[in-house]
Structures are given as C-alpha cells and as structure tokens.
Amino acid sequence: MERVISVIHINSSLKFKPMKSLISLFAVFGLFFLACGANAKNVETDMDLAGIQDSNSNKAHYYIDVHNLEPGKVSLADVQDAHKKDLAAQGKYNVSFINFWVDEQQGKVYCLSKANDEESITSTHKEAHGLLPSAIYEVTEGQAAAMTGKKQLFIDVHELGPGKVTAKDVAGAHAKDLAVEGKYGVNFINYWVDEKNGVVFCLSEAANSTAIINTHKEAHGLVPAYIMKVKQGE
C-alpha cells in the first residue's frame, strides 16, 4: 500500500505542475487580449472622432451672395479691400470665401463661398465691413474650365422658377453650350445652380453679351434673364 500511495503522490505532482503552467499561460493571454481590446477601443474611438470631424466638414455648401450697391459707385479695388476684411473674419464663422465678381457699372457684387449656412456668411460680412448681401443662393457647382484671360468676363443669370430646374438638367444644357461655344468665340468657365429658387449663374469669357445669348439660343434655347460684365477678384 505504501508503494502505491507514493506512486500516486508522484503522479499527482506531475499532473499539477503542468496545470499551474497552463493557468499562468492563460493569465498572460488574458492580459494580452485585454490590452488588445483596449487598443481596439481607442482606435475605434479615434475613428469615431475622425468621422464626426468629417461629418462636420461635409455640412459645408457652396453659396453665392449678391450685394446690390449704387451703380457706378463701386470698383474692383473697393471690393478687394472689403474682401480682405472678409478673409480676416471668415475663420470665426467657418466660412471660406473663394471668388468674387464685380459689375462696376451696375454696382453689383457676387461672392462665391463655402459655409455651413447662410447666417455664417451674413455674420462674416457684418463683422468684416457691415455690407450685408441682399440675397444669398445655396448652389451646386458645375465642372470648372480654364480661364484664358483674353476676353471680357460675364455672368449671365437664368431665372427659371422655384423647383423648376435640377443640377442634372443644367449639366445637360451646359454640355450643349460647350459643343456650340467655339462657333461664337465663347469660353464657358463654370456654372452654379440654385435648385430651390430655380436660378442658374453662368460664368464665361466672350467678346460681348450677344455672343453668349447666341450660344445659349443655339445650344438649348434658354436665354438668360440678364447678363453682367464683371471683373473677378479672389
């Protein structure tokens, strides 16, 4: 019996030592997986924060705001000075002013910007120089083309009516303009569409406004409500 008992004790000791090693090994693996889980949680949190930031940046839209000033009493230099003040204040309201165009004869100014809402644009202008826009249009931008700088710049405006035009419609009409423009010596640079108000702004280079009208007539028959000779700043 004593020999049997001693064998049992020996075998028991052999069995328990590996078990202790396994328990230690499992403990190590447990800590490893906990650490991995924590790192994954941190990565997931960082990704979530990045997603929130991207979401906020994606809220920005293109806008064209219009200033109706006195005919003959505003110059490109005047608007350039006001624009510099806008650039100094825009960061406070998360606005990015891109370009502006001035019709010196008619006293009109058109500003293209990217912002989260109309109020941000108004607040920037108010703080910068106090010249508030008479109208702000939320627009979809078209495909830009290169500017040659060899001819006069024009903005022609189509007023089609609220809800009566889509960005897709204008893209199709613009493609027709591009197919015809060479015949009349016009270079269409870009366009912007306000679907809600049914307004389309087209920027082009041409010898005169008649060339633009003739291009639109032949391309699709949609003649602009008015055309302005402008100078561009940025």
Side-chain angles (χ1 to χ4, degrees):
M1 286 293 292
E2 290 178 359
R3 291 184 63 185
V4 172
I5 291 170
S6 62
V7 170
I8 291 173
H9 282 308
I10 293 170
N11 288 341
S12 297
S13 64
L14 288 172
K15 288 179 182 179
F16 278 106
K17 284 182 180 179
M19 284 297 292
K20 289 180 181 177
S21 299
L22 285 173
I23 290 169
S24 300
L25 188 60
F26 285 139
V28 171
F29 275 119
L31 292 172
F32 174 75
F33 286 125
L34 283 172
C36 289
N39 288 335
K41 187 79 173 178
N42 290 335
V43 170
E44 185 178 349
T45 302
D46 291 341
M47 291 177 67
D48 288 342
L49 289 173
I52 291 171
Q53 291 172 353
D54 289 342
S55 176
N56 287 335
S57 63
N58 288 336
K59 290 179 181 178
H61 304 279
Y62 285 105
Y63 291 92
I64 290 180
D65 64 274
V66 183
H67 299 256
N68 291 316
L69 306 174
E70 291 187 56
K73 293 189 176 181
V74 62
S75 68
L76 179 64
D78 295 332
V79 182
Q80 187 68 60
D81 288 341
H83 181 67
K84 289 178 181 177
K85 295 176 182 178
D86 282 325
L87 296 180
Q90 66 179 7
K92 181 177 178 180
Y93 300 98
N94 295 319
V95 178
S96 176
F97 285 99
I98 303 167
N99 290 113
F100 67 86
W101 298 273
V102 185
D103 180 344
E104 293 180 327
Q105 184 178 354
Q106 298 298 323
K108 288 181 176 288
V109 180
Y110 291 76
C111 301
L112 175 66
S113 64
K114 202 169 185 181
N116 291 336
D117 49 51
E118 296 180 13
E119 291 74 15
S120 300
I121 297 169
T122 301
S123 297
T124 304
H125 284 319
K126 186 176 181 179
E127 179 171 327
H129 44 66
L131 299 172
L132 303 184
S134 57
I136 301 178
Y137 301 87
E138 183 179 340
V139 295
T140 301
E141 186 175 41
Q143 185 66 43
M147 187 183 297
T148 66
K150 296 178 180 179
K151 295 182 179 180
Q152 176 65 51
L153 276 176
F154 292 90
I155 290 180
D156 63 275
V157 182
H158 300 256
E159 297 177 339
L160 304 172
K164 292 185 178 180
V165 65
T166 66
K168 184 178 180 181
D169 295 334
V170 181
H174 182 69
K176 294 177 182 179
D177 283 326
L178 296 181
V180 177
E181 66 178 10
K183 180 178 178 180
Y184 298 98
V186 178
N187 176 33
F188 283 100
I189 300 165
N190 210 341
Y191 66 87
W192 297 268
V193 186
D194 178 348
E195 293 184 331
K196 181 180 178 181
N197 293 297
V199 179
V200 181
F201 302 88
C202 300
L203 177 67
S204 63
E205 292 175 307
N208 50 57
S209 60
T210 302
I212 297 168
I213 292 172
N214 289 337
T215 303
H216 283 321
K217 274 185 177 179
E218 182 171 335
H220 44 67
L222 298 172
V223 178
Y226 54 96
I227 301 177
M228 295 161 296
K229 185 187 291 186
V230 297
K231 295 179 179 179
Q232 178 173 295
E234 56 185 39

